[in-house]
Amino acid sequence: MSINRNISQSKKDNKNILREIFQDSAEIDYSTFINFALYNKDYGFYSNKKRMLMADFITSPLTHKSFGIMVAKQIAQIWDYYKNPKHFSVIELGGSTGKLKDDIVSYIKKYNRKFYRSLIYLNIDATNNDSLLDIDFNSKYGCIISNEFFDALPFDRFQKRGGSLKEIFIKKNEKNDLVEVLRDSNKTNILEQKIIAKIPEESRIEITNNLKEICNKLSSFLDHCVMLTIDYGFEDLDHLLINNPNGLVRCFAGHNMDKDILSNIGNKDITCDVNFHFLDHYLESAGFKKIGFCLQEKFLQNMGIANYFNSTKNPIEKQQIVSLMNPDGLGGFKVYFHELCSKNFDPQGLNQ
Ligand SMILES: C[S@@+](CC[C@H](N)C(=O)[O-])C[C@H]1O[C@@H](n2cnc3c(N)ncnc32)[C@H](O)[C@@H]1O
């Protein structure tokens, strides 16, 4: 199969981009392509420091500080659960420029000085040149938090053809257009044959690259740890793999959405719904146990956002808080709790 796509970019950039992308191989998988398009130091979407914050999409920490405050209250409960250890590490995955960190730390500093003195905060982000899999860190107690980290990880793409799942690779044709080719692949081990059999012919699916290695790495950071994961996505394999023939890929540029990953390289965010079934599988294999999950709307309610809302007089801020709760938007995100080795923690965010 081959699909032609034009790349709308300056000719010079385009030539350089294609030369770099294909410098080691004439054919590359999607995760290599996406990794370049998002994180290449010269051309990557996330590496472009000139891009205005919030120009392409908005996330919960950027929407209003009450989000960070509610997460801070949840973290304080984890510190209490571990009986207020002298050293407590918060490891944030993909914290970007540190907005969530600032809101969490300011809240803890103001309202819980004892906790503040024990707090160690690590914001691990690819755009700060952090390489998650190479980080060597270990501490006894803490938590791992993330907002929209797993949806930003590069993924590979597959298509059902002739009864089996083939991997989609990308190459250049003689006109310098990018074309796709299907090849046999050994990257679909996580899928049982009975699931593959249910995927309709020609349907496309995505599988996050390196998820197993990432989950194993996360389990090495802390001896006792609760993990709080906030993101969009699904657990239901029928939804993720069977009922969406074009897959769940989306690209965002200037608040517009399209599904064409191969065009305008480096100028748009590329994302897909998190497969919470796979994430849970790899976290469990790495020693985490799932406590449960709820929607962000419910989590924020449980953490007391209504009090914050009522104490705020500013109508713009009130509107921003409402956006965090909107079930058709950020409020519909999933908030997952896992705990390393046991599942005794009873998060306030899940129950009220
Ligand atoms: C969608 S943004 C979310 C940013 C921030 N958490 C927020 O909610 O505003 C995803 C972030 O994850 C980071 N990221 C993606 N892959 C990463 C990796 N392997 N290691 C560390 N950070 C990564 C990106 O650089 C980016 O800042």
Side-chain angles (χ1 to χ4, degrees):
M1 182 193 59
S2 85
I3 298 172
N4 290 336
R5 301 180 196 251
N6 288 314
I7 302 167
S8 63
Q9 220 136 26
S10 90
K11 273 193 178 145
K12 190 168 156 235
D13 270 1
N14 192 10
K15 222 169 136 187
N16 292 340
I17 284 173
L18 292 183
R19 190 182 310 117
E20 269 205 51
I21 288 182
F22 293 102
Q23 66 184 349
D24 296 326
S25 170
E27 265 181 37
I28 54 168
D29 56 22
Y30 256 98
S31 58
T32 306
F33 180 88
I34 295 169
N35 197 40
F36 181 97
L38 296 183
Y39 303 112
N40 176 271
K41 67 177 175 20
D42 298 318
Y43 300 106
F45 175 84
Y46 282 107
S47 316
N48 185 347
K49 303 278 186 229
K50 281 182 261 159
R51 173 171 291 106
M52 296 259 298
L53 209 61
M54 300 194 268
D56 300 287
F57 56 80
I58 182 142
T59 63
S60 294
L62 300 176
T63 298
H64 193 263
K65 66 178 178 204
S66 55
F67 176 80
I69 292 172
M70 298 305 127
V71 174
K73 287 168 75 176
Q74 182 58 85
I75 293 172
Q77 194 207 352
I78 301 170
W79 183 63
D80 285 342
Y81 169 64
Y82 288 130
K83 303 199 174 14
N84 308 144
K86 264 199 179 135
H87 302 289
F88 182 91
S89 308
V90 176
I91 300 176
E92 184 183 352
L93 309 174
S96 185
T97 52
K99 175 68 171 73
L100 181 58
K101 172 184 172 180
D102 290 347
D103 293 338
I104 289 173
V105 174
S106 308
Y107 178 82
I108 293 172
K109 185 174 181 188
K110 195 163 169 194
Y111 293 103
N112 197 335
R113 295 297 288 190
K114 192 173 165 216
F115 182 22
Y116 177 68
R117 281 193 294 274
S118 71
L119 194 63
I120 300 154
Y121 200 114
L122 259 72
N123 172 14
I124 302 173
D125 197 289
T127 51
N128 304 331
N129 292 327
D130 300 328
S131 171
L132 176 60
L133 293 179
D134 297 329
I135 287 178
D136 209 2
F137 176 85
N138 184 258
S139 187
K140 200 159 181 194
Y141 296 102
C143 63
I144 297 174
I145 63 168
S146 66
N147 185 68
E148 295 204 43
F149 166 72
F150 288 98
D151 71 65
L153 294 176
F155 50 85
D156 289 305
R157 301 180 84 191
F158 303 84
Q159 185 158 355
K160 180 94 172 272
R161 167 101 23 117
S164 66
L165 267 185
K166 310 274 185 212
E167 182 165 357
I168 308 172
F169 286 82
I170 305 159
K171 65 177 189 177
K172 275 186 303 181
N173 68 10
E174 53 296 340
K175 287 195 233 142
N176 260 355
D177 289 329
L178 296 184
V179 297
E180 294 180 336
V181 283
L182 297 189
R183 303 260 179 245
D184 289 332
S185 169
N186 58 5
K187 293 186 200 159
T188 55
N189 297 346
I190 188 163
L191 289 170
E192 292 172 38
Q193 271 312 319
K194 64 174 190 228
I195 299 284
I196 296 179
K198 279 171 73 181
I199 299 174
E201 269 296 287
E202 298 301 323
S203 263
R204 290 175 163 223
I205 65 160
E206 303 83 23
I207 299 181
T208 304
N209 183 249
N210 267 347
L211 195 54
K212 184 177 176 186
E213 290 74 10
I214 289 173
C215 293
N216 286 340
K217 187 64 175 180
L218 298 182
S219 71
S220 72
F221 288 150
L222 296 156
D223 300 343
H224 303 274
C225 160
V226 171
M227 185 169 164
L228 170 58
T229 307
I230 305 175
D231 222 315
Y232 47 84
F234 303 93
E235 266 195 347
D236 175 23
L237 284 185
D238 280 4
H239 182 86
L240 288 158
L241 307 175
I242 292 158
N243 299 340
N244 288 285
N246 296 319
L248 295 161
V249 169
R250 292 188 290 282
C251 305
F252 292 94
H255 293 277
N256 291 317
M257 200 265 281
D258 69 68
K259 286 179 165 269
D260 190 2
I261 298 183
L262 298 182
S263 71
N264 212 4
I265 302 166
N267 289 320
K268 50 188 176 183
D269 191 19
I270 302 169
T271 179
C272 76
D273 285 286
V274 174
N275 187 321
F276 283 112
H277 182 92
F278 291 171
L279 179 59
D280 192 45
H281 169 88
Y282 285 129
L283 284 174
E284 294 252 344
S285 310
F288 288 91
K289 295 196 186 309
K290 185 166 91 180
I291 300 173
F293 78 95
C294 65
L295 297 185
Q296 174 165 313
E297 181 192 17
K298 187 89 180 90
F299 169 76
L300 295 176
Q301 264 170 22
N302 290 343
M303 295 312 304
I305 202 164
N307 294 338
Y308 194 94
F309 181 86
N310 293 333
S311 67
T312 305
K313 301 278 171 287
N314 183 330
I316 295 172
E317 285 200 51
K318 280 191 182 285
Q319 193 48 51
Q320 289 164 337
I321 298 170
V322 169
S323 314
L324 290 174
M325 308 286 287
N326 176 8
D328 296 324
L330 298 171
F333 281 29
K334 311 268 173 29
V335 180
Y336 271 79
F337 286 88
H338 287 83
E339 184 175 351
L340 197 57
C341 300
S342 62
K343 53 173 180 175
N344 299 323
F345 181 58
D346 186 13
Q348 183 184 339
L350 285 187
N351 306 302
Q352 263 283 296

